[in-house]
């Protein structure tokens, strides 16, 4: 069974500049690949994601194509840097657009995202990763994604220091372990959902 993954990096930095969040998402996709999953990563800031809470905010809005890529994937990875202890404003924009899923169902009455599992990546130089992961998990679950056990990986550097994750010569072993667990559990649950989708949702 072939699975696919789609990752949105919510860094504030446009391509092609380096991004710590991009590095950890890339490592996550590499771990997924070890389980036969093909995946890709994009930066939200490279697209025109208009403000709003619908799936299409009109002319020039790039969200509809990103929305479709999310729904076409079996595994959705949402990554954000830590800014002032919170996820980025770009990440909040993505969450707001995902809110439209609450009003979108398939012919079985299920939210359109019911068949997709989600994982979270957080990177920063100050504490805040647990807070971000908790908020993103709840938001993703609200709009219909399924969250596996331990489906997060993160890195935060020493407080009030200047080292970024992208500057590390080697990823710490504990981060590697968390990333491997995220990938393993996302693949496991996505496989199960392929074999046994959620039941029809009766009104």
């Amino acid at each position: 069974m072939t699975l696919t993954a789609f990752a949105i990096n919510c860094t504030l930095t446009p391509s092609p500049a380096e991004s710590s969040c991009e590095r950890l998402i890339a490592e996550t996709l590499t771990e997924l690949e070890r389980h036969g999953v093909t995946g890709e990563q994009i930066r939200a800031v490279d697209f025109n994601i208009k403000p709003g809470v619908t799936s299409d905010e009109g002319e020039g809005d790039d969200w509809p194509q990103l929305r479709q890529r999310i729904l076409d994937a079996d595994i959705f990875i949402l990554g954000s840097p830590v800014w002032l202890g919170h996820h980025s404003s770009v990440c909040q924009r993505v969450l707001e657009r995902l809110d439209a899923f609450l009003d979108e169902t398939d012919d079985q009455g299920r939210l359109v995202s019911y068949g997709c599992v989600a994982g979270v990546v957080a990177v920063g130089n100050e504490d805040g990763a647990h807070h971000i992961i908790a908020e993103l998990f709840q938001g993703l679950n609200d709009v219909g994604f399924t969250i596996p056990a331990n489906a997060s990986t993160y890195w935060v550097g020493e407080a009030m220091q200047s080292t970024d994750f992208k500057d590390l010569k080697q990823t710490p072993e504990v981060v590697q372990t968390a990333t491997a667990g995220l990938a393993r559990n996302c693949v496991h649950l996505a496989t199960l959902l392929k074999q046994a989708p959620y039941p029809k949702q009766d009104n």
Side-chain angles (χ1 to χ4, degrees):
M1 181 182 299
T2 301
L3 298 177
T4 61
F6 181 63
I8 295 184
N9 176 2
C10 294
T11 177
L12 302 181
T13 307
S15 300
E18 288 186 317
S19 159
S20 290
C21 195
E22 179 179 44
R23 173 175 165 177
L24 190 50
I25 290 175
E27 292 182 5
T28 300
L29 292 176
T30 296
E31 286 296 331
L32 286 167
E33 189 176 356
R34 297 181 195 280
H35 298 276
V37 179
T38 59
E40 61 177 324
Q41 171 182 183
I42 62 95
R43 295 191 195 190
V45 290
D46 292 340
F47 295 82
N48 181 23
I49 301 175
K50 290 190 171 184
V53 291
T54 72
S55 284
D56 190 341
E57 291 292 333
E59 185 177 356
D61 185 19
D62 287 336
W63 180 253
Q65 61 168 294
L66 299 179
R67 170 192 177 275
Q68 192 58 52
R69 289 163 79 177
I70 293 169
L71 293 178
D72 287 343
D74 302 293
I75 299 168
F76 175 49
I77 303 296
L78 183 59
S80 176
V82 179
W83 286 113
L84 299 175
H86 298 271
H87 54 267
S88 71
S89 57
V90 174
C91 189
Q92 185 62 31
R93 175 71 56 88
V94 170
L95 288 175
E96 288 163 355
R97 297 304 299 273
L98 288 171
D99 185 77
F101 286 174
L102 292 173
D103 296 318
E104 299 173 4
T105 56
D106 64 13
D107 59 4
Q108 297 292 307
R110 300 169 297 202
L111 296 184
V112 291
S113 49
Y114 261 29
C116 188
V117 304
V120 168
V121 171
V123 183
N125 285 332
E126 301 285 350
D127 196 13
H130 279 182
H131 172 72
I132 288 173
I133 291 165
E135 289 204 334
L136 298 190
F137 271 175
Q138 185 59 50
L140 291 166
N141 184 258
D142 279 347
V143 297
F145 291 92
T146 301
I147 312 298
N150 299 125
S152 66
T153 186
Y154 66 91
W155 178 88
V156 288
E158 185 180 359
M160 302 176 71
Q161 300 298 315
S162 59
T163 300
D164 291 328
F165 182 69
K166 60 184 172 60
D167 299 324
L168 299 181
K169 293 182 179 180
Q170 183 173 350
T171 300
E173 184 177 350
V174 290
V175 178
Q176 293 179 31
T177 299
T179 303
L182 181 163
R184 183 170 51 248
N185 292 346
C186 280
V187 170
H188 174 71
L189 194 52
T191 300
L192 293 179
L193 282 176
K194 281 277 196 182
Q195 297 168 343
Y198 284 107
K200 179 179 180 180
Q201 303 295 297
D202 296 319
N203 293 333

